[in-house]
Amino acid sequence: MAEIITRQAELFLYSVGYGILLGVWYELFRTLRKTFVHRDGAVHVEDVLFCVVGTAGLFLLFQRYNQGQMRFYVLAGIGAGGLFYFLMLSWIVQNIFMFFWKLFLKLPGKVLERISRPIRIIVNSMVLEYNYHWQKRKK
């Protein structure tokens, strides 16, 4: 009897963890939506992708730990994990995602700036030299 209760408690904790994981997965889509303007079609595709992946994970959770049987306490655990995530962790993860996303977007610009700087110095000095000679020639 104690083994059954332990197994159920373990499954409940796994489902809470899965609810938190689903919250992080949704936060990724939320960060993308805040960064880029999406058309309605793209938002629908993202929502369908989220639901398909979430459902597949839930199916695997039921198959792996409960012989495919659906239990209310597992759904309650997913809900509790999602609620915990959105009330306690969402703003932290969102700020982390936004930081890395902005860093990711700025990185190519910084690399190109470093590479193009010597070229800009050479081109600017050539333009200055040309302007100097052109002005001298006009006089």
Side-chain angles (χ1 to χ4, degrees):
M1 182 71 171
E3 182 181 320
I4 294 171
I5 294 174
T6 304
R7 185 92 168 139
Q8 289 176 349
E10 180 182 356
L11 181 57
F12 179 76
L13 291 176
Y14 281 141
S15 65
V16 169
Y18 186 65
I20 292 171
L21 184 66
L22 283 176
V24 172
W25 175 241
Y26 187 75
E27 195 70 50
L28 179 66
F29 288 116
R30 241 171 60 172
T31 303
L32 288 175
R33 288 178 188 167
K34 287 183 178 184
T35 306
F36 298 111
V37 176
H38 286 74
R39 293 185 177 173
D40 286 341
V43 171
H44 296 313
V45 169
E46 290 172 358
D47 287 342
V48 168
L49 179 65
F50 174 78
C51 289
V52 167
V53 170
T55 303
L58 182 61
F59 176 75
L60 291 174
L61 183 73
F62 281 136
Q63 287 291 29
R64 171 80 168 98
Y65 293 103
N66 209 27
Q67 295 82 34
Q69 297 177 354
M70 200 157 61
R71 302 285 184 196
F72 177 74
Y73 64 88
V74 174
L75 298 176
I78 291 172
L83 188 64
F84 174 77
Y85 172 79
F86 283 109
L87 292 178
M88 300 294 194
L89 303 173
S90 176
W91 65 276
I92 297 169
V93 174
Q94 183 180 21
N95 288 336
I96 291 170
F97 279 169
M98 290 300 282
F99 171 77
F100 281 112
W101 188 248
K102 288 177 183 177
L103 185 71
F104 177 73
L105 290 178
K106 288 181 183 179
L107 187 63
K110 296 264 187 200
V111 170
L112 286 176
E113 182 181 332
R114 300 273 179 171
I115 292 172
S116 68
R117 187 171 186 170
I119 297 169
R120 283 185 289 143
I121 290 171
I122 292 170
V123 169
N124 286 340
S125 65
M126 289 173 67
V127 167
L128 287 173
E129 191 68 28
Y130 175 78
N131 286 339
Y132 173 75
H133 287 295
W134 183 257
Q135 294 296 332
K136 195 175 185 182
R137 198 169 145 197
K138 276 186 160 181
K139 291 181 183 182

